[in-house]
Amino acid sequence: MSELSIDSISEFIESPNWQTCFSTSSLQLGKKLARSRQVSQVRAEILETGDAEIVSYVLDSAGHQHESIIALWRENGTLQLDASCSCSLGAFCEHSAATIYYLQKADRVATAFGKSPHNKSVKEGKNLLSQSPHQNKPKGRTDPSFI
């Protein structure tokens, strides 16, 4: 049994395989919710069992917040998915689909696991600015005029 990793989870989320668990309606509504930025507080962790759990909060069109919990695990070498939600549908709903669509954007899976694409650079003391901070200094007097 191979352990789940951020890369294997990202690969699964970016593939269309997960979509077979959801109805067409849930997928369409989920994509709409994700595009309208209704997904928030996405957190993920690898559990002691080796499974992954992703928790998010999604606002519906009426302004109600729903907690979505997505579980991922390997079974016979294949990544499996279960999705539950606090909404009336309860499972494989548009809120869980929205969470997965949200995670398809660059670096969001890693961020949900508490990783940052910039952590390594910051820890190594590298400058994250694309240019020197002195390159675009305004011309003329730069000291505060109130002194």
Side-chain angles (χ1 to χ4, degrees):
M1 179 175 94
S2 69
E3 196 169 301
L4 291 179
S5 67
I6 292 172
D7 289 338
S8 65
I9 292 168
S10 293
E11 185 178 308
F12 179 74
I13 285 172
E14 291 169 9
S15 79
N17 296 343
W18 65 269
Q19 296 176 7
T20 60
C21 299
F22 292 84
S23 70
T24 302
S25 170
S26 289
L27 290 171
Q28 290 171 342
L29 291 169
K31 187 177 279 191
K32 185 177 178 181
L33 288 169
R35 285 185 176 165
S36 61
R37 299 179 178 170
Q38 300 305 307
V39 180
S40 65
Q41 301 177 42
V42 182
R43 300 287 178 257
E45 67 176 314
I46 302 291
L47 304 173
E48 289 180 16
T49 60
D51 300 347
E53 182 178 79
I54 302 167
V55 179
S56 71
Y57 293 91
V58 183
L59 284 177
D60 64 17
S61 57
H64 298 109
Q65 183 171 291
H66 301 283
E67 181 183 52
S68 170
I69 301 173
I70 297 167
L72 298 166
W73 70 95
R74 282 205 191 279
E75 191 172 295
N76 298 324
T78 305
L79 210 55
Q80 303 293 316
L81 172 134
D82 186 33
S84 61
C85 186
S86 63
C87 72
S88 59
L89 190 55
F92 297 103
C93 63
E94 64 266 26
H95 309 107
S96 295
T99 300
I100 298 173
Y101 281 122
Y102 170 88
L103 288 168
Q104 288 180 336
K105 294 268 186 170
D107 298 321
R108 287 188 176 166
V109 171
T111 301
F113 277 96
K115 309 290 182 195
S116 171
H118 303 296
N119 276 353
K120 185 176 180 185
S121 295
V122 171
K123 286 179 183 173
E124 293 173 356
K126 293 181 180 175
N127 186 349
L128 296 178
L129 298 174
S130 59
Q131 59 190 18
S132 167
H134 303 293
Q135 283 180 335
N136 286 330
K137 244 186 179 177
K139 292 186 170 85
R141 193 172 174 168
T142 58
D143 59 317
S145 59
F146 58 85
I147 297 180

